[in-house]
Amino acid sequence: MNSKHLYLIVTLALLLCTNCAKTSEGKVTDTNDYNTYLAITKNLTLDRAKQDELFWSQKLEQTPNQFPYLGKLASTYAELFSTTGDVAYLKKAENKLLEVNKITAYENPSYLRGLAYNYISQHQFKEALKLLIKAELLGENLQTTQKMLFDVYLELGNYEQAQSYLKRFENLNDFDYLIRLSKWSDHKGNLDAAIKYMEKAMEIAESSNLKYLKQWSYTNIADFYGHAGEIDKSYQYFLKALELDPNNAYAKKGIAWIVYSHEKNPAEALRILNYVSQSYKAPDYYLLKAEIADYMGRGVMSEAELELYKTAMKDEAYGDMYNKYNVLLHVDEKINLEQAIAIAQIEVDNRPTPQSYDLLAWSYFNNGNLGAALDIVEKHIIGKTFEPETLYHVAQIYKAAGKRKELEPLKEELLASIYELGPTMTSKIMKL
């Protein structure tokens, strides 16, 4: 090899390293980009949804025999839930959907799908499946039903059925197909393909100029870019989502995560989340704030946020929606570990995915039953998921079982996933 070629290779390597450093270490956020979205006091989406609620409620009151108004009200409540995170709206939507399905004798595919979608939001996947199977038999708008069946089978861990449904509506020019193909690729551990198909879906959303599709595309591609270590791209697409809807809580949470996990600025991340939680009430935000406070060494604040989460969980309306978080909290606090096992078993019964089995294995492991944990790992988890949190639990179980050979590749993969796992995990992974 002559010196000219060697020089070019070394120069290219240095450039690549420089770019890597920018991606993995450089500051990508700027408070000037997002401060205006934090200070927003008017929520146009919320105002419109509340006006719709009043309008359809009055229409129904005036003409109670017009059952389609029940469906309109259910859609309005679903939008209010999406906008506020208030589970009471989700339950109100369920009640209206139950009413309209009863009136139509569970023979209207659109209302069946609406109720199924509500149950998916409540993590009642088996109930959603029953409704979708019935809707499929009725046949109207069959492909819409089949797309939802893919979603539910994937959530239930029935991957063969999920794949079979994906093939039924294959169309690389269809937004709905592409986002599901992207999700399937991610499930299979092919992040590059997941990004490629999501980018294609985003192009369709942008050409259609439908605000909802663009916003959904931007937040999802932002997540994928974050997983791939392209943090600047992730940040830019969260900002694009906020341009469309300045009250998008998920996009603000995404920026807070970048500030916390990538830039190691927990105080700023908390500032962002404090703004978000003034108007958006999902309980998992308390857990994130507790984690960040703990990272800062602010134990009192962390405990206060955990208490807010526990108080929220007293609301029975949440049902099984937060089973995962409740299991992990029991384990982290080393209390009620038998309860953790019981909740994890419910989750396995409801949703027998590798992630659900992970909760059960992790609970058994922390309760001193290494044998049961290892058995679950080898039968239901290893080789079936690429989720970093699950792989960390598997690594801990392997370490305790003395399986060093199996542990090493997991450790490498986990170190590459620090951004997803968060900065509190770095030292834990290094100790594996």
Side-chain angles (χ1 to χ4, degrees):
M1 182 182 294
N2 64 42
S3 58
K4 181 180 179 181
H5 289 161
L6 181 60
Y7 172 79
L8 287 173
I9 290 171
V10 171
T11 302
L12 179 60
L14 287 171
L15 286 171
L16 288 172
C17 286
T18 301
N19 290 335
C20 288
K22 286 179 181 177
T23 301
S24 63
E25 296 175 11
K27 188 176 187 297
V28 300
T29 67
D30 185 338
T31 54
N32 293 319
D33 294 333
Y34 57 79
N35 265 344
T36 53
Y37 301 122
L38 300 183
I40 294 290
T41 55
K42 191 149 185 75
N43 189 329
L44 296 178
T45 304
L46 179 61
D47 290 345
R48 188 188 70 249
K50 285 188 173 180
Q51 289 170 9
D52 288 346
E53 178 190 12
L54 181 62
F55 176 79
W56 293 115
S57 294
Q58 290 176 342
K59 294 280 282 185
L60 187 62
E61 188 176 333
Q62 292 163 5
T63 51
N65 62 321
Q66 291 295 314
F67 64 84
Y69 296 159
L70 289 166
K72 297 290 188 182
L73 258 179
S75 296
T76 299
Y77 287 134
E79 185 171 19
L80 284 166
F81 169 68
S82 176
T83 305
T84 65
D86 187 344
V87 72
Y89 287 124
L90 187 61
K91 299 301 289 187
K92 284 184 177 182
E94 178 191 3
N95 290 335
K96 297 305 177 187
L97 287 163
L98 286 169
E99 281 186 60
V100 74
N101 273 289
K102 186 176 180 180
I103 291 169
T104 55
Y106 286 81
E107 294 289 334
N108 184 305
S110 178
Y111 294 140
L112 289 168
R113 286 192 295 267
L115 185 55
Y117 187 82
N118 182 281
Y119 284 153
I120 290 170
S121 297
Q122 294 190 54
H123 289 201
Q124 297 182 34
F125 299 107
K126 289 184 177 178
E127 294 303 313
L129 180 60
K130 293 175 187 175
L131 295 166
L132 291 171
I133 288 172
K134 186 168 182 60
E136 185 181 32
L137 290 172
L138 292 168
E140 182 184 318
N141 288 327
L142 183 59
Q143 200 168 91
T144 302
T145 302
Q146 290 174 336
K147 289 171 181 177
M148 290 187 69
L149 279 163
F150 165 80
D151 298 335
V152 171
Y153 278 124
L154 190 62
E155 292 289 353
L156 286 170
N158 191 335
Y159 302 125
E160 287 185 12
Q161 278 286 69
Q163 188 174 28
S164 74
Y165 273 95
L166 188 63
K167 290 176 180 177
R168 295 186 197 191
F169 52 87
E170 182 176 353
N171 180 358
L172 287 169
N173 294 311
D174 177 53
F175 177 86
D176 290 340
Y177 173 72
L178 286 167
I179 63 174
R180 287 169 171 84
L181 183 58
S182 176
K183 191 173 182 180
W184 178 254
S185 301
D186 186 48
H187 158 70
K188 300 293 285 184
N190 190 342
L191 183 56
D192 289 341
I195 290 173
K196 179 180 75 172
Y197 295 126
M198 189 59 71
E199 287 173 338
K200 287 181 179 291
M202 184 171 63
E203 289 174 9
I204 293 172
E206 289 179 328
S207 64
S208 71
N209 203 29
L210 292 172
K211 178 181 173 181
Y212 169 75
L213 293 187
K214 289 196 293 184
Q215 186 173 295
W216 190 93
S217 301
Y218 292 157
T219 53
N220 277 270
I221 198 69
D223 279 340
F224 278 142
Y225 283 140
H227 297 165
E230 298 186 68
I231 312 300
D232 185 53
K233 280 187 177 181
S234 178
Y235 174 60
Q236 293 303 325
Y237 276 99
F238 281 132
L239 288 176
K240 284 173 77 72
L242 287 172
E243 286 175 20
L244 292 175
D245 179 9
N247 295 101
N248 188 316
Y250 190 84
K252 293 175 187 177
K253 182 183 180 185
I255 291 173
W257 184 261
I258 291 171
V259 171
Y260 164 58
S261 186
H262 175 69
E263 297 180 349
K264 308 298 187 294
N265 188 348
E268 175 62 9
L270 271 180
R271 186 181 77 88
I272 297 169
L273 292 171
N274 284 334
Y275 271 106
V276 178
S277 57
Q278 288 174 17
S279 57
Y280 192 78
K281 303 301 181 184
D284 52 295
Y285 282 67
Y286 297 131
L287 293 177
L288 178 53
K289 288 162 73 175
E291 176 189 331
I292 295 172
D294 183 59
Y295 177 70
M296 297 171 72
R298 300 175 68 173
V300 174
M301 177 187 289
S302 181
E303 284 299 320
E305 295 294 340
L306 289 176
E307 285 305 314
L308 288 171
Y309 174 81
K310 292 171 185 177
T311 299
M313 285 300 100
K314 293 176 182 177
D315 187 343
E316 294 182 359
Y318 286 111
D320 293 327
M321 292 171 66
Y322 286 84
N323 280 351
K324 171 189 171 181
Y325 297 100
N326 293 334
V327 169
L328 295 176
L329 187 56
H330 282 312
V331 171
D332 286 346
E333 294 184 337
K334 303 296 182 186
I335 56 173
N336 295 329
L337 290 173
E338 290 293 341
Q339 181 69 7
I341 293 171
I343 298 171
Q345 187 61 63
I346 290 171
E347 194 67 0
V348 167
D349 294 341
N350 289 347
R351 189 183 188 184
T353 62
Q355 289 77 20
S356 295
Y357 277 108
D358 165 53
L359 294 175
L360 189 58
W362 189 235
S363 298
Y364 274 127
F365 172 67
N366 281 275
N367 203 34
N369 194 337
L370 176 59
L374 191 59
D375 186 57
I376 293 168
V377 164
E378 294 180 341
K379 285 182 179 177
H380 301 289
I381 301 174
I382 200 68
K384 298 179 181 179
T385 182
F386 301 91
E387 289 294 320
E389 187 176 40
T390 296
L391 296 183
Y392 171 72
H393 296 158
V394 171
Q396 286 283 21
I397 292 166
Y398 274 171
K399 179 183 177 182
K403 297 173 79 71
R404 299 301 308 180
K405 184 179 178 182
E406 292 85 350
L407 171 60
E408 288 309 313
L410 289 179
K411 186 174 180 179
E412 289 179 22
E413 195 165 341
L414 289 167
L415 287 171
S417 303
I418 287 296
Y419 172 75
E420 284 182 73
L421 291 166
T424 61
M425 295 298 295
T426 305
S427 61
K428 295 178 182 178
I429 294 168
M430 293 304 295
K431 291 175 184 176
L432 285 170

